[in-house]
């Protein structure tokens, strides 16, 4: 939010800060209102002053140029060459002297123009950046003081602050609200703006009737009729005030409502009374399906949950958000109905979010507006409209407020403040601070009862008062002290520690961590996942019914995600099309589903994505699918979790493979008899549709299942001093036979002497029979208590060969 110091000066004395605005900025930031930027407009007009043209002659060497002698006060006269023709001797003009820097970084310096010295420039408003078009140099009124800084004369000697106001300090979203804060921080006198209105004896209630039906969403509504207004441009002072905080002038009526909003923090709306059907204003919820056209011409369909301001037949305003095109003030308006209200923050925020309409009004209503300031804002605006647009302000105004908002008192002892801050709190300071905040303070014994003002929504409990004392006294007074180590530190959460271990391991494997939103678009996620039964068959919990957000930001973030794979695929797609031709990503996060009884469940998942190959490491003779790299990384993870009983299972039915994965390069992970997830190569059609020109693969595992029984203890065994014996065998087998099944059979047949078994070669060349492959397997045998004898080795290898012959009809090549 932008704040003008000149505007702020109307309510609290900030004279001392115009030359040193950083002092005020630092105090506000320490008090919790961060000043992000300071802009001193006067610096834009350095060396720009008001001049008086004493003489105007023709340039001796150029017919289209004039030579002027210009006084800038105190007997100082400058010779200036000018190209404009709309000035004459005796005019007051704006002079940029040497040293000035005009918009566009145009520096003014002494120079020779067609052989004649010129010591400055006579300026147009366009050259000063104050207008988009200009017919010539600016001619000022005859009483403009010669020699005076133009910044001061034109009202541009202002300093503006860009404030970052936290959501709990909605009371500071106005100049008067910030003046209250400055008054509190520095103990300065506060001057409230005048809200006196000269109303006639005519009745607003007789002119426009009011019916507040949705009083649960609108606790207070005020309104006043103003007849015979003249809509037109605003006076200079009003335009200048609005422009100083970055708002454009529209017309005098609308400008007043914006002015009062920026002054008091109370949003208002002015209706053209001629378009209020039935001469009746109704505050009620919308009718589901009805259309509403906003001031900018956007048509929206209402859901029935919105709070609206209506006439006898249709909505004329979305309460607290935006006015309707059918009742806005125009140049033809002569009668106005002015409203100011207090709408519940929840109502305005929900309407604003659901329709994507962000306005200055909704910004304030969503955070909270002072209900006790509603009528003050209405009267202030009515008085200003009468001043700048004329008209007759009607009396007997509407003020629907059946149940006034009341703050609950907060009780606290001084000892509580002392204990929480770690230093002695002083009673006189506490009482002074509370009164500066606008609170009523009573004391009985050691207990203070503090009643906060209605504009301080954030003061609700004793700790809020402790925070206010610390803030106003200065956080620097809180002493440093070590905590007492009276108890042992709490243990780290087991899931957190396991996730950290998994994260460190995968980063060591060359993966980078991704963090995606837990919100996704329902339609896009369903298209990606396809048949959910495939994911269920892999051990992942999903449900056709998704967890929908009540108030989504947009349709692309309307449900909680069911899988991590969809988000990782989007990461893969975005990275590839941004020029990253290869990459390795993982994500540890939550996926959500609905149980049969309707309850919501959050489960922990590990997702992994891989695409492309690193060209400097890739050997094209080893043309294996990249999904094997995912498989290797998962097996490293399983080993680190001390999980040895696992199997990769390829479903017999291809319909059990998710639609986004390749049917021939997919496997489910079976850990200790239970399916916990899948790995697979991305389907070629999916890659082609998204114009991804490199291979890719995805994996997703249920961490809740993997982490069961973790951490698992390791059994430490001493290293055997007896040698290991290796035996190699090559088997010819059908290509359809899984090598994993063969190795499982070898482990079973070999018994306790088998230390390890692994594949070290695979041949499928021209010399092999069609449909066959040659697999070379190495066995490591060891007796940990004695040196293996040849007879023992022969016995084990014979058992292995007999079992393979019996179960798979395999023989040594």
């Amino acid at each position: 939010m932008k704040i003008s110091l000149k505007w702020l000066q109307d309510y609290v004395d900030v004279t001392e800060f115009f030359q040193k605005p950083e002092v005020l900025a630092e105090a506000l930031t320490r008090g919790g209102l961060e000043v992000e930027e300071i802009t001193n407009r006067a610096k834009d007009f350095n060396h720009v002053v008001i001049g008086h043209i004493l003489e105007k002659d023709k340039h001796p060497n150029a017919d289209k140029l004039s030579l002027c002698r210009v006084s800038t006060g105190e007997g100082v006269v400058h010779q200036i060459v000018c190209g404009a023709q709309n000035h004459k001797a005796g005019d007051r003009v704006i002079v940029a002297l040497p040293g000035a820097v005009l918009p566009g970084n145009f520096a003014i310096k002494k120079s020779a123009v067609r052989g004649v010295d010129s010591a400055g420039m006579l300026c147009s408003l366009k050259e000063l950046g104050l207008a988009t078009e200009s017919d010539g140099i600016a001619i000022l009124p005859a009483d403009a003081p010669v020699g005076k800084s133009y910044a001061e004369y034109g009202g541009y000697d202002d300093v503006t602050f860009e404030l970052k106001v936290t959501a709990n300090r909605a009371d500071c979203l106005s100049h008067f609200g910030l003046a209250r804060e400055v008054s509190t921080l520095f103990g300065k006198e506060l001057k409230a703006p005048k809200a006196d209105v000269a109303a006639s004896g005519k009745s607003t209630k007789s002119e426009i009737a009011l019916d507040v039906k949705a009083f649960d969403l609108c606790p207070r509504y005020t309104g006043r009729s103003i007849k015979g207004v003249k809509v037109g441009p605003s006076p200079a002072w009003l335009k200048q005030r609005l422009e100083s905080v970055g708002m454009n002038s529209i017309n005098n009526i609308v400008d007043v409502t914006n002015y009062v909003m920026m002054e008091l923090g109370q949003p208002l709306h002015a209706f053209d009374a001629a378009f209020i059907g039935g001469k009746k204003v109704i505050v009620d919820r919308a009718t589901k399906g009805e259309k509403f056209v906003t001031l900018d011409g956007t048509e929206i369909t209402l859901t029935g949950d919105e709070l609206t301001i209506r006439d006898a037949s249709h909505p004329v305003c979305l309460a607290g958000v935006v006015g309707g095109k059918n009742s806005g003030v125009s140049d033809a308006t002569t009668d106005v109905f002015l409203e100011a209200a207090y709408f519940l923050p929840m109502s305005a925020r929900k309407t604003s979010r659901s329709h994507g309409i962000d306005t200055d009004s909704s910004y304030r209503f969503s955070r909270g507006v002072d209900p006790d300031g509603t009528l003050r804002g209405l009267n202030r605006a009515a008085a200003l409209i009468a001043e700048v647009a004329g008209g007759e302000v009607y009396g007997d105004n509407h003020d629907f407020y059946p149940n006034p908002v009341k703050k609950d008192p907060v009780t606290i002892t001084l000892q509580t403040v002392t204990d929480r801050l770690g230093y002695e709190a002083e009673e006189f300071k506490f009482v002074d601070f509370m009164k500066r905040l606008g609170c009523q303070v009573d004391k009985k014994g050691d207990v203070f009862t503090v009643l906060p003002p209605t504009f301080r929504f954030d003061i609700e409990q004793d700790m809020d008062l402790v925070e206010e004392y610390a803030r106003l006294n200065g956080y620097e007074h809180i002493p440093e002290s070590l905590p007492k180590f009276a108890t042992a530190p709490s243990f780290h959460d087991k899931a957190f520690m396991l996730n950290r271990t998994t994260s460190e391991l995968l980063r060591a494997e060359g993966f980078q961590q991704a963090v995606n939103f837990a919100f996704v678009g329902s339609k896009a996620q369903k298209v990606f996942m396809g048949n959910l039964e495939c994911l269920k068959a892999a051990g992942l919990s999903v449900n056709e019914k998704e967890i929908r957000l009540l108030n989504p930001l947009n349709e692309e973030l309307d449900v909680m995600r069911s899988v991590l794979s969809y988000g990782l695929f989007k990461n893969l797609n975005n990275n590839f099309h941004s020029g990253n031709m290869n990459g390795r990503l993982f994500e540890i996060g939550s996926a959500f589903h609905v149980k049969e009884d309707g309850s919501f469940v959050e489960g922990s998942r590990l997702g992994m994505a891989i695409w492309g190959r690193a060209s400097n490491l890739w050997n094209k003779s080893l043309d294996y699918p990249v999904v094997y790299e995912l498989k290797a990384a998962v097996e490293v993870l399983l080993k680190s979790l001390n999980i040895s009983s696992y199997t990769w299972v390829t479903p017999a039915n291809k319909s059990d493979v998710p639609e986004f994965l390749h049917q021939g390069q997919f496997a489910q992970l079976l850990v200790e008899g239970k399916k916990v997830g899948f790995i697979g190569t991305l389907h070629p059609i999916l890659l082609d549709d998204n114009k991804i020109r490199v291979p890719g693969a995805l994996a997703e595992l249920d961490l809740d299942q993997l982490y069961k029984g973790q951490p698992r203890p390791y059994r430490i065994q001493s290293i055997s001093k007896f040698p290991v014996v290796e035996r190699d065998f090559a088997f010819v087998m059908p290509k359809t036979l899984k090598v994993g099944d063969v190795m499982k059979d070898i482990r079973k047949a070999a018994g306790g002497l088998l230390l390890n078994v692994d594949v070290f070669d695979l041949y499928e060349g021209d010399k092999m029979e069609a449909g066959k492959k040659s697999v070379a397997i190495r066995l490591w045998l060891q007796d940990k208590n004695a040196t293996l004898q040849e007879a023992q080795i022969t016995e084990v290898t014979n058992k292995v060969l007999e079992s393979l012959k019996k179960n798979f009809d395999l023989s040594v090549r």
Side-chain angles (χ1 to χ4, degrees):
M1 185 188 72
K2 191 169 282 190
I3 288 290
S4 158
L5 286 198
K6 289 190 73 174
W7 197 341
L8 196 66
Q9 178 75 17
D10 290 352
Y11 320 115
V12 65
D13 184 12
V14 290
T15 307
E16 62 195 277
F17 302 121
F18 278 92
Q19 296 303 317
K20 294 184 178 179
E22 62 278 357
V23 175
L24 177 59
E26 184 181 349
L28 290 172
T29 301
R30 283 202 315 268
L33 300 172
E34 183 181 350
V35 178
E36 297 183 305
E37 184 180 3
I38 302 174
T39 303
N40 190 344
R41 287 214 66 187
K43 291 183 178 179
D44 296 337
F45 298 96
N46 278 345
H47 304 288
V48 179
V49 300
I50 297 174
H52 178 211
I53 301 177
L54 302 177
E55 297 178 6
K56 176 187 176 183
D57 296 318
K58 288 186 177 182
H59 190 288
N61 302 322
D63 293 338
K64 293 185 179 181
L65 298 179
S66 61
L67 184 62
C68 302
R69 294 180 67 248
V70 182
S71 169
T72 55
E74 299 183 357
V76 179
V77 178
H78 305 269
Q79 179 174 278
I80 299 175
V81 175
C82 181
Q85 301 297 324
N86 65 319
H87 57 291
K88 63 183 183 300
D91 283 344
R92 298 292 204 271
V93 291
I94 305 171
V95 184
L97 299 174
V101 180
L102 302 184
N105 203 30
F106 180 54
I108 303 299
K109 53 189 176 181
K110 291 183 179 180
S111 60
V113 180
R114 295 289 185 93
V116 176
D117 291 338
S118 179
M121 185 174 85
L122 306 186
C123 301
S124 67
L125 294 180
K126 181 180 179 181
E127 289 164 334
L128 294 173
L130 302 176
T132 55
E133 297 294 335
S134 183
D135 294 331
I137 66 172
I139 308 299
L140 302 178
D143 60 353
V146 177
K148 189 172 186 176
S149 163
Y150 182 69
E152 184 179 352
Y153 175 79
Y156 300 106
D157 55 336
D158 196 3
V159 178
T160 58
F161 286 176
E162 188 68 44
L163 287 182
K164 184 177 181 180
V165 181
T166 53
N168 65 319
R169 292 305 308 273
D171 60 295
C172 291
L173 290 174
S174 66
H175 283 80
F176 183 65
L178 188 65
R180 273 193 309 245
E181 184 70 6
V182 173
S183 172
T184 301
L185 292 172
F186 293 95
K188 291 177 175 286
E189 180 185 355
L190 182 67
K191 297 171 287 185
K194 294 180 180 180
D196 299 329
V197 57
S200 70
K202 296 181 180 179
S203 171
T204 295
K205 294 177 181 177
S206 299
E207 183 71 18
I208 300 288
L210 174 66
D211 182 11
V212 180
K213 294 182 178 179
F215 50 83
D216 56 328
L217 301 181
C218 178
R220 189 174 193 182
Y221 188 94
T222 66
R224 190 185 286 276
S225 290
I226 308 173
K227 303 205 76 174
V229 298
K230 174 66 174 177
V231 178
S234 294
W237 69 267
L238 182 52
K239 286 183 180 179
Q240 200 169 71
R241 280 286 167 93
L242 294 177
E243 289 170 357
S244 70
V245 293
M247 300 186 78
N248 294 324
S249 175
I250 299 173
N251 60 53
N252 48 8
I253 305 295
V254 176
D255 287 356
V256 165
T257 62
N258 287 334
Y259 177 89
V260 174
M261 178 180 65
M262 298 304 297
E263 178 185 54
L264 297 176
Q266 172 64 55
L268 303 104
H269 187 67
F271 298 95
D272 187 330
F275 293 98
I276 299 178
K279 297 298 180 181
K280 186 175 184 179
V281 168
I282 304 169
V283 183
D284 197 6
R285 288 175 172 83
T287 301
K288 184 176 181 180
E290 68 180 338
K291 305 295 183 181
F292 176 76
V293 181
T294 64
L295 281 169
D296 64 358
T298 302
E299 183 179 88
I300 59 177
T301 302
L302 303 182
T303 65
D305 295 327
E306 303 90 348
L307 180 65
T308 60
I309 312 300
R310 316 174 65 83
D311 63 13
S313 58
H314 57 275
V316 294
C317 180
L318 285 182
V321 179
V322 68
K325 192 176 182 66
N326 54 1
S327 64
V329 172
S330 67
D331 292 344
T333 299
T334 57
D335 300 334
V336 168
F337 179 74
L338 184 66
E339 73 160 21
Y342 169 62
F343 305 115
L344 288 190
M346 171 273 295
S347 173
R349 181 166 53 248
K350 186 174 182 180
T351 300
S352 173
R353 288 288 182 86
S354 62
H355 294 291
I357 303 173
D358 292 318
T359 61
D360 289 318
S361 179
S362 67
Y363 180 78
R364 285 163 174 78
F365 276 121
S366 296
R367 285 155 178 78
V369 170
D370 180 14
D372 283 356
T374 303
L375 185 58
R376 180 172 63 247
L378 179 77
N379 289 338
R380 173 68 168 160
L384 288 174
I385 287 176
E387 178 185 335
V388 303
E392 180 183 5
V393 179
Y394 277 32
D396 192 23
N397 61 280
H398 289 291
D399 188 4
F400 175 86
Y401 200 21
N403 300 303
V405 176
K406 294 181 179 179
K407 295 283 290 184
D408 293 326
V410 180
T411 58
I412 191 173
T413 64
L414 209 59
Q415 189 61 43
T416 300
V417 181
T418 297
D419 293 343
R420 294 298 182 270
L421 297 183
Y423 64 85
E424 194 71 28
E426 301 174 67
E427 181 175 335
F428 82 93
K429 277 190 175 182
F430 177 81
V431 174
D432 180 48
F433 290 158
M434 295 302 107
K435 289 184 176 180
R436 286 194 205 178
L437 291 169
C439 301
Q440 298 177 23
V441 184
D442 292 317
K443 182 183 180 185
K444 287 185 180 180
D446 294 334
V447 179
F448 289 92
T449 301
V450 180
L451 181 62
T454 53
F455 58 79
R456 285 304 300 266
F457 309 101
D458 57 322
I459 300 180
E460 297 179 334
Q461 54 185 326
D462 55 354
M463 289 304 106
D464 296 327
L465 299 180
V466 173
E467 182 183 357
E468 290 300 313
Y469 186 98
R471 186 174 70 88
L472 297 176
N473 196 45
Y475 292 117
E476 67 274 11
H477 292 100
I478 299 177
E480 295 181 6
S481 60
L482 289 173
K484 295 180 180 179
F485 296 102
T487 58
S490 60
F491 290 100
H492 286 298
D493 179 70
K494 185 175 77 170
F496 168 79
M497 296 302 295
L498 289 169
N499 284 343
R500 189 173 75 170
T501 299
T502 300
S503 175
E504 290 173 350
L505 184 143
L506 291 175
R507 290 201 301 271
E509 290 293 307
F511 286 76
Q512 292 181 305
Q513 188 164 7
V515 180
N516 290 305
F517 282 129
F519 309 147
V520 296
S522 173
K523 293 180 181 178
Q525 180 178 246
K526 283 183 177 179
V527 170
F528 177 82
M529 291 192 303
N531 184 6
L532 299 185
E533 296 303 318
C534 301
L535 298 174
K536 292 179 182 179
L540 299 180
S541 298
V542 291
N543 197 309
E544 191 71 36
K545 184 179 179 182
E546 299 163 310
I547 302 176
R548 305 196 71 83
L549 303 184
L550 292 178
N551 189 21
L553 294 174
N554 53 58
E555 64 179 8
E556 295 180 359
L557 298 170
D558 62 341
V559 297
M560 306 295 287
R561 63 185 176 187
S562 300
V563 293
L564 270 59
S565 298
Y566 173 58
L568 285 169
F569 174 74
K570 291 205 300 182
N571 296 150
L572 183 159
N573 190 21
N574 291 337
N575 271 275
F576 176 79
H577 290 295
S578 296
N580 296 326
M581 306 304 290
N582 63 83
R584 312 289 184 267
L585 293 177
F586 78 95
E587 181 175 11
I588 297 173
S590 296
F592 307 84
H593 70 278
V594 183
K595 295 177 69 174
E596 295 302 324
D597 60 4
S599 60
F600 299 154
V601 179
E602 177 179 351
S604 184
R605 301 271 183 87
L606 168 65
M608 302 168 69
I610 185 171
W611 70 97
R613 298 186 176 96
S615 58
N616 58 330
L617 299 176
W618 177 244
N619 183 348
K620 291 188 177 180
S621 64
L622 304 175
D623 192 14
Y624 58 80
V626 293
V627 70
Y628 285 127
E629 294 188 41
L630 279 185
K631 178 175 178 287
V634 171
E635 290 180 346
V636 170
L637 173 62
L638 295 173
K639 184 176 181 180
S640 73
L641 295 175
N642 201 15
I643 297 174
S644 57
S645 179
Y646 66 88
T647 310
W648 295 103
V649 179
T650 301
N653 190 348
K654 296 302 182 182
S655 63
D656 286 341
V657 179
E659 296 174 13
F660 56 89
L661 296 178
H662 193 303
Q663 289 188 347
Q665 297 177 15
F666 169 81
Q668 300 162 343
L669 178 60
L670 193 70
V671 173
E672 297 170 348
K674 188 173 181 64
K675 291 179 181 178
V676 298
F678 66 84
I679 63 171
T681 297
L682 286 169
H683 201 289
I685 294 178
L686 179 65
L687 294 176
D688 189 58
D689 288 345
N690 289 274
K691 295 181 173 57
I692 300 173
R693 309 304 184 200
V694 295
L698 289 174
E700 186 161 345
L701 307 176
D702 186 337
L703 286 181
D704 293 328
Q705 292 295 328
L706 281 182
Y707 287 166
K708 281 186 176 179
Q710 296 291 335
R712 299 188 179 188
Y714 283 87
R715 294 181 180 179
I716 306 301
Q717 296 180 350
S718 60
I719 299 175
S720 176
K721 60 184 178 181
F722 299 102
V724 176
V725 175
E726 297 178 7
R727 288 293 184 268
D728 295 344
F729 301 94
F731 299 97
V732 176
M733 61 183 72
K735 288 185 177 181
T736 56
L737 179 60
K738 297 177 182 178
V739 178
D741 293 340
V742 173
M743 295 173 68
K744 184 178 180 180
D745 189 79
I746 291 174
R747 290 190 184 96
K748 184 177 180 181
L753 293 181
L754 182 66
L755 186 65
N756 192 21
V757 59
D758 204 358
V759 175
F760 69 89
D761 190 32
L762 172 68
Y763 178 70
E764 296 180 346
D766 298 337
K767 297 180 181 179
M768 292 299 303
E769 183 182 346
K772 300 286 186 178
K773 61 185 176 182
S774 175
V775 180
I777 297 176
R778 179 169 294 157
L779 280 63
W780 285 267
L781 304 174
Q782 184 184 43
D783 187 341
K784 296 186 178 181
N785 300 313
T787 300
L788 277 175
Q789 302 300 313
E790 189 63 34
Q792 292 175 287
I793 299 171
T794 302
E795 181 182 359
V796 170
T797 55
N798 286 340
K799 285 182 179 179
V800 169
L801 296 175
E802 288 172 4
S803 179
L804 293 177
K805 181 66 176 176
K806 176 183 176 181
N807 295 323
F808 303 106
D809 194 24
L810 298 184
S811 56
V812 177
R813 179 182 175 188

